[in-house]
Amino acid sequence: VIAMDIDAAGLPFLKGLQPPAGSKTVAELQEIVEYAEVPFLIKGVMTVKGARKALEAGAAGIVVSNHGGRVLDGVPAEALPAIADAVRDQMVILVDGGIRSGVDVCKALALGADAVLLARPYVTAVYGGGAEGVALLTQKLKGELEDTMAMCGVHSLKEITREILF
């Protein structure tokens, strides 16, 4: 799998660079997807329109993301249900952005993600504690997710649906 980050394209420090950062047409995305010759993910999708463009371009999946939770806070949770409704069962939907706990993981799955990305917390764990830090963070997240699922009355990841939130 290859992924391309598009959520940074609007950052001020990228303006004016060569090659230029910015939005891509479906045809431009399709050219990139086809060139990769492997399943391709587009990271940084924040709208239903963007998800449909990625699908039309042939992406295998998307990452609903707001640049790791540092930009446009709240967008993944607000946008995810509509995006999931639009492209569910047609492509993989991952989510990234401010997810820091097992409760956050459960919410993201309930809102329509197939899985979540937790890169930043793991970077901190690696630098702070190496392999032991990673193991501790993994156990913490797993325990929080299991506790959340138990409190919501679900026994498997497949049972996590929007109904547990509303």
Side-chain angles (χ1 to χ4, degrees):
V1 173
I2 294 177
M4 179 175 72
D5 178 344
I6 63 168
D7 58 352
L11 295 176
F13 66 86
L14 292 178
K15 291 181 179 175
L17 292 181
Q18 289 301 323
S23 62
K24 303 278 185 258
T25 66
V26 170
E28 290 170 324
L29 287 173
Q30 187 173 21
E31 183 179 348
I32 295 166
V33 169
E34 290 173 359
Y35 181 80
E37 296 183 346
V38 296
F40 198 85
L41 300 176
I42 297 177
K43 177 187 177 285
V45 173
M46 292 192 279
T47 64
V48 170
K49 182 178 178 182
R52 288 188 175 133
K53 279 178 68 173
L55 182 63
E56 187 178 343
I62 57 173
V63 181
V64 178
S65 176
N66 63 348
H67 209 61
R70 297 177 292 140
V71 179
L72 299 176
D73 193 29
V75 168
E78 294 168 7
L80 187 54
I83 291 170
D85 290 346
V87 297
R88 177 181 286 119
D89 300 325
Q90 299 173 77
M91 63 184 352
V92 173
I93 303 168
L94 305 176
V95 68
D96 169 49
I99 297 169
R100 301 293 182 260
S101 71
V103 174
D104 293 338
V105 171
C106 190
K107 287 178 186 177
L109 296 174
L111 291 171
D114 293 309
V116 300
L117 304 175
L118 290 140
R120 192 159 286 115
Y122 276 98
V123 169
T124 303
V126 166
Y127 282 103
E132 184 180 350
V134 169
L136 288 170
L137 177 59
T138 301
Q139 287 305 315
K140 174 188 171 292
L141 292 167
K142 182 178 183 242
E144 291 170 348
L145 177 57
E146 289 171 344
D147 290 347
T148 303
M149 291 171 60
M151 286 187 276
C152 293
V154 297
H155 303 93
S156 72
L157 296 176
K158 290 193 182 293
E159 291 180 42
I160 298 174
T161 63
R162 284 186 207 156
E163 288 73 36
I164 69 169
L165 298 176
F166 306 108

